[in-house]
Amino acid sequence: MSPVFPLNSSSSDFLTPFRKYFEEVQVGDQLVSGKRTITDADIKAFANLSWDHFYAHTDHTSLEGTLFDKPVAHGYFILSAAAGLFVDAAKGPVLLNYGLEECRFTKPVYPGSTIAVQLTCKEKIEQEQKEDTEETHKPNRLH
């Protein structure tokens, strides 16, 4: 298995997988992000941004008889916040985010919960190469 490096690693040989070329990423490579604590203000801000004011996210008085103990974070907010934990904002080469095959929200995330991300390259799929120009990138995928 490849070494696991935190995103903010001080190792001089660490390069986030999203800054590597497809050929440089190895199956088993892992990245562990820093942590973020979810707040009630985060949930309210996402509700306003997304227009998703479903009672389970925003109405503290309507939760009796539901499976939620208190207002719960939106699943798509958690997904977005998680992405922010492993993105390197600097300009440079980057692997394409092709999308998600499977995403499940299996456990509620409440204000005060702390999240982190662990990514593992499980598979590399070689695909037909297009002519490599500045505007064209190789259409390979990581899983």
Side-chain angles (χ1 to χ4, degrees), residues 85-99:
L85 289 173
F86 62 81
V87 169
D88 182 349
K91 186 176 180 178
V94 64
L95 289 174
L96 172 71
N97 181 347
Y98 188 70

Side-chain angles (χ1 to χ4, degrees), residues 21-114:
Y21 292 99
F22 180 83
E23 296 77 16
E24 296 175 305
V25 177
Q26 301 299 314
V27 172
D29 282 357
Q30 291 186 336
L31 175 139
V32 178
S33 76
K35 296 178 180 180
R36 175 181 177 164
T37 299
I38 305 304
T39 67
D40 191 52
D42 290 331
I43 296 169
K44 288 176 183 173
F46 190 82
N48 289 330
L49 179 67
S50 66
W51 290 22
D52 180 353
H53 294 277
F54 183 64
Y55 77 89
H57 305 304
T58 58
D59 187 353
H60 294 251
T61 64
S62 296
L63 299 174
E64 188 175 328
T66 72
L67 61 114
F68 302 113
D69 300 328
K70 50 189 168 184
V72 62
H74 304 71
Y76 290 108
F77 167 66
I78 297 304
L79 185 62
S80 297
L85 289 173
F86 62 81
V87 169
D88 182 349
K91 186 176 180 178
V94 64
L95 289 174
L96 172 71
N97 181 347
Y98 188 70
L100 301 171
E101 294 292 324
E102 293 182 29
C103 180
R104 303 288 182 267
F105 306 114
T106 60
K107 183 178 175 184
V109 177
Y110 297 111
S113 299
T114 300

